[in-house]
Amino acid sequence: MEEVFGIDLGTTNSCVAVIGEDGLPVIIKNLDDEFTTPSVVCYDEDSDECYVGKEAKSGMGGAPDQTVAFIKREMSNPNYRREINGKSVSPVEVSALILKKLVDDANERRSYDGLSPVRKAVITVPAYFGAMERELTAQAGQIAGLEVLDLLNEPTAAALNYGTKGLEGKTFMVYDLGGGTFDISIMRMQNGVLTTLSTDGDHKLGGVDWDIALLDFALQACGLDVTYDDIREEKDAAKMLLSAEICKKNLSKNDRATFKFVYKRKPYFKEISRSVFEEITENLVDSTVDMMYHALKIAREPLSPEDIDEIILVGGSSYMPMIKKRIQKEFRCSLRLDMFEPDRAVAKGAALHAARLQGDRSVNVQLGEDMGARSYGTDINTENGVMVQNILLRTSPMIYENTFYFSTSNEGQSMVSISLFENTSVEEYVPIKKTTRIMDKSLDLGGPVPKGTSVVMHVTRNKEGIVHVIGECNGVREEFSVETKGLLEQGEVDALRKFLSEKRV
Ligand code: ADP
Ligand code: MG
């Protein structure tokens, strides 16, 4: 049977896995002999070439204008483009280059062993990704030359990897602290069905915040009266941050480490102990813990900390001993620390899912319904100004429908506006500035109607997360769908795929 692969396309690092001969997933190392590849792309100034991974990351200090990092954060932003060397590049194109690098490196390794190239893969996505970001991720996979078998939620992948047998009957949390994002999910495995009960997170909190805290501390301690924020645009800043990351990783293994950096051509050394590092970053760990409680609060059914049987730690930042320590103190349940490879668990779980889709019966689990990733509502006038009243909440199941009733506000109006706003709130009412308008249509009533005529807005969400609205008023009924902005035409995907197939990144 053709081999299939699992790919974790991460905000900071990416990783590819396959099922080994013993039936267990293994990571395919890249050509730098590392398990994960930085999700960083650097475009050469003088040629059409680009570098992806370690080489691009280490070049970040030298060529910030040519380097793209953290692109996954922009996937939900349909108009986001980076101008590089006079060309405009989109998040999908950058993501495709990262995937292409993973695949090319894996293929080179596999070809030594006479193995077939990577073609079919499952790619993972954050649980909070909406329909559009999922579709864009699939397009990036196609451009990279892959046949995308499925997209799988990252926490689900982690759970699959940590063993579905041991999780039967349990309610557990997946705590995923990566490089630039933090995600928390609460899941349950019952009668072989894996369901998500809650998802939450902070997409601006991750390992890089620990790096910055460490750098700020070292700057102070070395008598330099600046912070990273003051100097972030300066030439040295990116390299200093990389030095901080190295020191941080050393502090995961050792009680003390030396932070070496160069600022304005002068070298500095500062010895730092793990306990000081833990003190200066305690507030960051606190925010992740607060989010764990919030995830419990907004769960689909009422849950308390005692209901959590286990916690699975995912993401490279979970290697920091302070994370385990703090969570164990806070939640008195067991942590899954067998085969503890938090930065590889997601890719491995994706490989297991890919094998399942090919008919492998050894992973005996059914994926239950996902949760909605976003909330949707319409604008209303309140005493506090214009607010959005949510009609579908992100904490409701994915497949869901609800109806909203209002009435026309002017005498003799012949049109009624049907607007839909997307947001991540879990409240019924949200300030409009915290939402994005994704639909702005009008229902033509065919002639004037009296003030106060009732209007019905029926909103549905299908299993792919795609939202439809039916507007009804005065006997007129019309269905509207949300346009997915920013998606590429199939022709564009094919052209980019052809272009990349002839390129080596
Ligand atoms: P993402 O999911 O964001 O793509 P990862 O799960 O690979 O990324 O996490 C990357 C983060 O993990 C980085 O901030 C990196 O510095 C951090 N990290 C990786 N290994 C260690 C370690 N041994 N100790 C502390 N932090 C680590
Ligand atoms: Mg990740």
Side-chain angles (χ1 to χ4, degrees):
M1 203 193 295
E2 185 181 347
E3 277 181 291
V4 288
F5 300 81
I7 298 181
D8 171 5
L9 177 61
T11 311
T12 334
N13 294 303
S14 298
C15 187
V16 52
V18 66
I19 304 298
E21 274 169 18
D22 57 0
L24 296 174
V26 281
I27 301 293
I28 307 174
K29 284 186 175 177
N30 62 24
L31 294 181
D32 292 314
D33 210 33
E34 277 162 2
F35 291 105
T36 65
T37 301
S39 307
V40 183
V41 177
C42 180
Y43 293 80
D44 191 79
E45 203 172 4
D46 311 311
S47 68
D48 238 3
E49 301 291 301
C50 55
Y51 311 94
V52 183
K54 196 175 176 179
E55 211 179 337
K57 186 175 175 181
S58 58
M60 239 147 75
D65 294 344
Q66 260 96 262
T67 312
V68 188
F70 292 122
I71 196 65
K72 190 166 155 184
R73 282 184 175 162
E74 307 302 338
M75 215 60 160
S76 54
N77 194 347
N79 302 319
Y80 182 90
R81 294 291 179 274
R82 264 289 295 274
E83 294 299 323
I84 296 174
N85 302 339
K87 267 196 249 148
S88 151
V89 285
S90 66
V92 182
E93 291 168 72
V94 177
S95 304
L97 285 170
I98 298 164
L99 289 168
K100 164 92 170 141
K101 161 78 175 170
L102 288 176
V103 169
D104 282 357
D105 274 19
N107 285 346
E108 195 152 332
R109 275 191 175 270
R110 287 172 62 82
S111 73
Y112 299 139
D113 303 326
L115 297 169
S116 62
V118 178
R119 211 168 58 83
K120 294 182 179 175
V122 165
I123 304 178
T124 57
V125 287
Y128 65 85
F129 259 21
M132 188 193 68
E133 294 106 303
R134 285 168 199 264
E135 195 54 40
L136 286 171
T137 305
Q139 289 194 327
Q142 288 164 18
I143 294 169
L146 292 166
E147 181 184 325
V148 182
L149 295 173
D150 200 5
L151 300 166
L152 181 68
N153 282 350
E154 289 161 9
T156 307
L160 291 182
N161 178 54
Y162 281 96
T164 45
K165 277 204 197 86
L167 292 173
E168 178 54 41
K170 289 184 176 163
T171 303
F172 56 96
M173 274 192 181
V174 180
Y175 174 104
D176 183 350
L177 186 58
T181 53
F182 172 65
D183 294 292
I184 187 88
S185 304
I186 303 177
M187 310 184 89
R188 177 175 294 152
M189 177 81 136
Q190 200 149 37
N191 305 324
V193 183
L194 187 60
T195 343
T196 307
L197 301 177
S198 180
T199 64
D200 205 15
D202 181 343
H203 308 131
K204 296 251 150 62
L205 177 69
V208 69
D209 296 295
W210 273 258
D211 304 340
I212 293 172
L214 194 54
L215 178 54
D216 282 347
F217 175 79
L219 285 167
Q220 275 273 313
C222 293
L224 291 157
D225 195 21
V226 288
T227 65
Y228 170 72
D229 245 6
D230 302 329
I231 60 161
R232 62 189 310 153
E233 301 296 326
E234 289 180 30
K235 204 169 113 278
D236 295 324
K239 281 224 166 77
M240 289 160 77
L241 206 54
L242 287 180
S243 312
E245 188 186 7
I246 294 170
C247 178
K248 171 187 77 175
K249 288 187 181 173
N250 285 334
L251 285 170
S252 293
K253 284 195 296 254
N254 308 311
D255 287 340
R256 313 188 73 79
T258 308
F259 187 174
K260 304 182 195 121
F261 64 94
V262 177
Y263 184 55
K264 299 203 163 155
R265 297 217 192 136
K266 210 176 144 201
Y268 292 88
F269 300 87
K270 173 72 196 155
E271 196 177 82
I272 292 171
S273 69
R274 188 191 285 166
S275 60
V276 165
F277 178 48
E278 294 186 350
E279 242 168 70
I280 61 173
T281 54
E282 198 181 350
N283 60 325
L284 299 173
V285 188
D286 285 347
S287 342
T288 70
V289 171
D290 290 348
M291 208 83 66
M292 294 172 94
Y293 286 111
H294 190 247
L296 283 167
K297 202 175 122 197
I298 64 167
R300 214 188 276 185
E301 62 182 70
L303 286 175
S304 70
E306 295 74 47
D307 295 317
I308 304 298
D309 301 308
E310 275 192 33
I311 297 175
I312 296 177
L313 297 182
V314 185
S317 300
S318 296
Y319 280 118
M320 293 187 291
M322 68 178 92
I323 303 295
K324 280 176 231 163
K325 245 190 341 200
R326 179 65 205 275
I327 291 176
Q328 242 150 5
K329 200 174 104 193
E330 198 74 34
F331 293 84
R332 300 200 167 272
C333 63
S334 63
L335 292 183
R336 282 225 153 192
L337 298 175
D338 47 332
M339 41 177 200
F340 185 61
E341 291 174 346
D343 52 346
R344 298 169 222 166
V346 169
K348 286 184 171 184
L352 286 167
H353 180 58
R356 250 184 89 232
L357 294 176
Q358 295 286 95
D360 182 340
R361 300 251 160 265
S362 60
V363 189
N364 202 4
V365 60
Q366 266 182 39
L367 301 186
E369 202 190 328
D370 284 326
M371 296 187 64
R374 305 288 157 84
S375 302
Y376 297 91
T378 196
D379 50 334
I380 54 161
N381 287 311
T382 71
E383 285 166 13
N384 303 324
V386 183
M387 298 279 277
V388 166
Q389 179 170 355
N390 275 326
I391 306 170
L392 296 188
L393 283 175
R394 74 173 167 95
T395 44
S396 316
M398 185 68 102
I399 303 174
Y400 207 72
E401 54 188 294
N402 200 5
T403 308
F404 178 72
Y405 300 91
F406 60 105
S407 45
T408 58
S409 47
N410 298 316
E411 188 54 45
Q413 73 183 76
S414 57
M415 297 284 236
V416 64
S417 131
I418 303 284
S419 292
L420 200 68
F421 293 78
E422 190 178 71
N423 60 88
T424 55
S425 171
V426 293
E427 307 294 333
E428 191 176 358
Y429 298 98
V430 204
I432 197 158
K433 65 175 188 297
K434 291 194 169 170
T435 69
T436 314
R437 188 196 292 264
I438 56 165
M439 184 189 284
D440 187 14
K441 305 272 184 179
S442 308
L443 190 62
D444 187 344
L445 306 178
V449 296
K451 178 178 173 175
T453 305
S454 75
V455 187
V456 177
M457 218 176 132
H458 189 67
V459 187
T460 59
R461 176 165 61 202
N462 70 12
K463 75 176 194 316
E464 276 84 38
I466 300 185
V467 175
H468 287 272
V469 178
I470 296 167
E472 264 185 279
C473 180
N474 197 35
V476 180
R477 184 178 191 276
E478 199 175 335
E479 182 166 346
F480 305 99
S481 48
V482 177
E483 291 158 36
T484 38
K485 283 197 216 99
L487 279 189
L488 281 74
E489 303 278 339
Q490 193 55 44
E492 279 177 278
V493 171
D494 294 341
L496 284 166
R497 179 180 177 125
K498 181 163 183 303
F499 174 71
L500 266 198
S501 69
E502 292 151 8
K503 222 172 144 91
R504 182 79 175 82
V505 293

